[in-house]
Amino acid sequence: MKFRKSITVLVILVAIFASLASISGIFSKGGPGSFDYTSIRGEKVTLYGIGLYRHMSADVAIQGIAQDYVTLFIGVPLLLIAFFWAMNGSLKGRFMLAGVLNYLFVTYLFYMNMAMYNQLFLIYILLTGTTFFAFILSLLSIDIQKLPEQFSEKAPVKFSGIFLIVNAVIIALLWLSIIVPPLIDNTIYPDSVDHFTTLTVQGFDLSILLPISFLGGLLLLNRSRFGYLIATVTLIFLSILMTALVAKIIAMANAGVNVIPAIFIIPVINLISVICSLKMVKSLNAK
């Protein structure tokens, strides 16, 4: 495997510090408890008030903790499994490694940019950097020249490609339905801005992540070698990300937040992404 030493060092760092960050988010205590805060825009926001995420809004903080559980008990173990699989020369392992690193990169990119400043800020920076470079190196370790030939005819190319395109369009429309109406009625700020400076998730999704999903699906339908690479990695990434979103929805529901219609939509997307990613990886002729 190319870049073996560099990837090894980076993955070890990611596993250690992602575990540390997740444990800190889950088990940190202290703070005054939930309290109301008036944002710079004059809106009253209920802050979580406990532990690492004490200055996050209450509903966002519980989502962060839910994702920490997924990262700790699914993300990090999958990272290590995929790493050892890839180190044994497995192409399937390299795809899995890239997909898991993609999830961890996006996770800590969001934490670095969206989480209210806390004592783990430098760790978020470290994790964003290490996951990014490990992700890029893992992609570069995959020889794409003959990639279409590495997939058998059983690969769900058409279904997976359409799914990635439709998913990108649906999520984009969802985010636009939040952003556009306040611009039209001149209230400007969506309620979900809370006390944050901007809509970080929606911004990254609409500018980078959803276009990648759309492009990956389109290229896969055209059976481009780049399509096989982008689509398969994106499907693995989505499988873990959507699992985290399901965990967030469950946490919000337990806190009494209305999670309809997300409770019906996200698990379906999660299930489809898991099935597609497993079938794409399984269809690889190489070990």
Side-chain angles (χ1 to χ4, degrees):
M1 180 179 178
K2 292 189 293 185
F3 313 113
R4 187 184 187 94
K5 290 183 179 180
S6 297
I7 291 175
T8 298
V9 172
L10 290 170
V11 166
I12 291 173
L13 289 173
V14 170
I16 292 172
F17 285 100
S19 298
L20 176 62
S22 299
I23 291 170
S24 298
I26 294 169
F27 296 107
S28 61
K29 303 297 180 183
S34 63
F35 62 95
D36 290 335
Y37 171 84
T38 302
S39 75
I40 194 172
R41 291 176 289 275
E43 297 180 359
K44 186 172 289 186
V45 180
T46 300
L47 301 188
Y48 188 58
I50 301 172
L52 189 66
Y53 305 130
R54 69 184 65 183
H55 294 131
M56 303 285 286
S57 59
D59 59 336
V60 173
I62 59 176
Q63 291 180 57
I65 294 171
Q67 181 151 8
D68 285 335
Y69 273 106
V70 172
T71 298
L72 182 62
F73 293 108
I74 297 178
V76 173
L78 278 179
L79 173 68
L80 296 175
I81 291 170
F83 169 71
F84 286 112
W85 197 7
M87 287 299 110
N88 286 327
S90 170
L91 180 58
K92 294 178 181 180
R94 276 174 276 169
F95 269 104
M96 286 294 297
L97 181 61
V100 177
L101 285 167
N102 192 4
Y103 162 76
L104 291 169
F105 166 62
V106 170
T107 294
Y108 290 107
L109 177 67
F110 284 175
Y111 276 42
M112 183 178 68
N113 286 277
M114 183 178 177
M116 300 301 288
Y117 188 89
N118 60 52
Q119 56 267 44
L120 294 190
F121 182 66
L122 288 176
I123 291 181
Y124 296 153
I125 292 174
L126 174 67
L127 283 167
T128 302
T130 51
T131 53
F132 172 75
F133 289 110
F135 173 56
I136 295 300
L137 291 178
S138 66
L139 290 178
L140 293 175
S141 72
I142 299 173
D143 183 4
I144 67 169
Q145 296 305 317
K146 297 181 179 180
L147 200 53
E149 301 171 12
Q150 301 281 7
F151 287 86
S152 71
E153 294 181 357
K154 294 182 179 180
V157 171
K158 186 174 181 180
F159 183 83
S160 296
I162 293 173
F163 166 68
L164 286 173
I165 292 172
V166 171
N167 177 67
V169 171
I170 289 175
I171 301 300
L173 290 175
L174 173 64
W175 290 155
L176 290 173
S177 72
I178 293 173
I179 297 168
V180 174
L183 296 177
I184 294 175
D185 63 22
N186 206 36
T187 56
I188 309 299
Y189 306 105
D191 292 338
S192 51
V193 172
D194 285 340
H195 63 312
F196 300 107
T197 57
T198 190
L199 295 175
T200 302
V201 172
Q202 289 81 354
F204 279 122
D205 273 359
L206 289 169
S207 62
I208 301 174
L209 300 178
L210 296 178
I212 288 175
S213 177
F214 188 95
L215 179 62
L218 191 62
L219 290 173
L220 183 62
L221 289 176
N222 291 326
R223 296 186 180 272
S224 161
R225 61 182 185 271
F226 292 104
Y228 281 97
L229 176 66
I230 296 171
T232 305
V233 171
T234 301
L235 286 167
I236 296 168
F237 155 71
L238 277 177
S239 298
I240 310 172
L241 180 66
M242 289 299 165
T243 300
L245 289 181
V246 170
K248 291 180 179 184
I249 291 170
I250 294 172
M252 292 171 68
N254 287 336
V257 178
N258 181 14
V259 293
I260 296 174
I263 189 64
F264 302 111
I265 298 173
I266 300 301
V268 172
I269 297 176
N270 187 18
L271 180 61
I272 294 174
S273 60
V274 169
I275 292 172
C276 287
S277 61
L278 288 175
K279 285 185 173 293
M280 288 297 293
V281 171
K282 188 177 180 180
S283 68
L284 278 164
N285 293 318
K287 66 176 182 177

